[in-house]
Amino acid sequence: MAFDSLSEKLQNVFKNLRSKGRLTEDDVKAALREVKMALLEADVNFRVVKQFTKSVQERAIGQDVMNGLNPGQMVIKIVNEEMTKLMGSETTEIDFKPSNELTIIMMVGLQGAGKTTTTAKIAGKLKSKGKKVLLAACDVYRPAAIEQLKINGEKQGVEVFAMGNKNKPADIAKAAVNHAISNGNNVLIIDTAGRLHIDEEMMDELVEIKNSVDVHRTLLVVDSMTGQDAVNVAGTFDEKVGVDGVILTKLDGDTRGGAALSIRAVTGKPILFVGMGEKLSDLEQFYPDRMTSRILG
Ligand code: GDP
């Protein structure tokens, strides 16, 4: 289960708080120091942790809370609310163009983050909502990426537009748009190439695709197990290409949770979905409040 080690630590802090009938300021401060440690160990961004504990402390050390009937429970409630706020509070849906106009979504991310898999996962989700989806295979460098997209597209019952690996990604994207329009598709999802590390060439190529077709939303796929690296990657992609939303993959294997808890606060970009496994059905809409409940128990 995701975030196991963070959950365990925070639940221990809460158990302590609950066991106390009355709370002093020092009790609250001591508990928040432990919360802070647990979050830092979970690889949550340092500034985010600082701001988070400051907000909780300001709200918790007040007359209403300290003199209330159940101060421990109140502090826990405040932690819960602030953590939900950290992850964005509201659920963000993919935004489509009005009426039945073609919505073009570009998927970006580093190689291995789970971009191609996630592209097919999203295609399935949108199809089940009644969208007529076309996938475009623009990852022309990674061996087998095109084949992988074709296989997964077929599993999802979604057509995949591919032109092999001899054409420029921007040209494939343009041809895919024409195909989508003549085919009556209302969503086109473009799978792009990632590299192992961020480099100029990759960014230039993504910008070129963006300049060639009318990309409505750019979604970044990052591996949640990489913690703060994922947050830094998101910052760079946003700066160079522009990102509208984030998908955090491999949450099923992430015992820490640092990326999930930092990425919204650091980049300002909402998390739309989380990947919970390798199967094409393992993609969940991201609900900040439910994620908080998962973490805090
Ligand atoms: P790409 O290079 O970004 O296109 O990455 P792929 O889509 O090929 O995914 C890389 C690996 O991560 C594959 O083995 C996927 O099955 C795996 N993967 C993708 N998303 C998830 C996820 O949410 N959970 C788990 N456990 N594995 C995932």
Side-chain angles (χ1 to χ4, degrees), residues 75-146:
V75 173
I76 293 166
K77 185 163 175 277
I78 293 169
V79 172
N80 195 303
E81 287 168 4
E82 291 295 325
M83 189 172 272
T84 303
K85 211 192 272 177
L86 203 59
M87 290 189 283
S89 294
E90 305 274 298
T91 298
T92 309
E93 305 263 358
I94 291 186
D95 176 73
F96 298 99
K97 283 205 154 184
S99 56
N100 233 7
E101 253 180 90
L102 178 67
T103 296
I104 303 177
I105 298 168
M106 180 164 87
M107 308 293 292
V108 302
L110 293 183
Q111 188 171 316
K115 190 167 14 67
T116 303
T117 312
T118 304
T119 301
K121 285 178 175 179
I122 291 179
K125 269 217 170 349
L126 299 186
K127 187 189 168 201
S128 69
K129 285 188 170 173
K131 297 285 181 193
K132 197 163 178 231
V133 184
L134 177 70
L135 298 178
C138 290
D139 181 352
V140 296
Y141 307 107
R142 183 162 67 86
I146 298 174

Side-chain angles (χ1 to χ4, degrees), residues 14 16-17 32 34 43 92 96 100-101 111 128 130 156 160 179 225 253 258 284 291 295:
F14 288 177
N16 256 332
L17 277 175
L32 288 180
E34 284 181 53
D43 200 22
T92 309
F96 298 99
N100 233 7
E101 253 180 90
Q111 188 171 316
S128 69
Q156 302 287 56
V160 176
H179 184 87
M225 295 209 284
E284 295 178 10
M291 190 55 71
I295 297 169

Side-chain angles (χ1 to χ4, degrees), residues 203-214:
M203 294 301 180
D204 290 347
E205 185 177 294
L206 296 174
V207 170
E208 197 185 344
I209 296 175
K210 232 175 166 169
N211 290 338
S212 304
V213 299
D214 180 22

Side-chain angles (χ1 to χ4, degrees), residues 210-223:
K210 232 175 166 169
N211 290 338
S212 304
V213 299
D214 180 22
V215 172
H216 184 59
R217 289 292 178 258
T218 302
L219 303 183
L220 172 72
V221 178
V222 286
D223 176 348

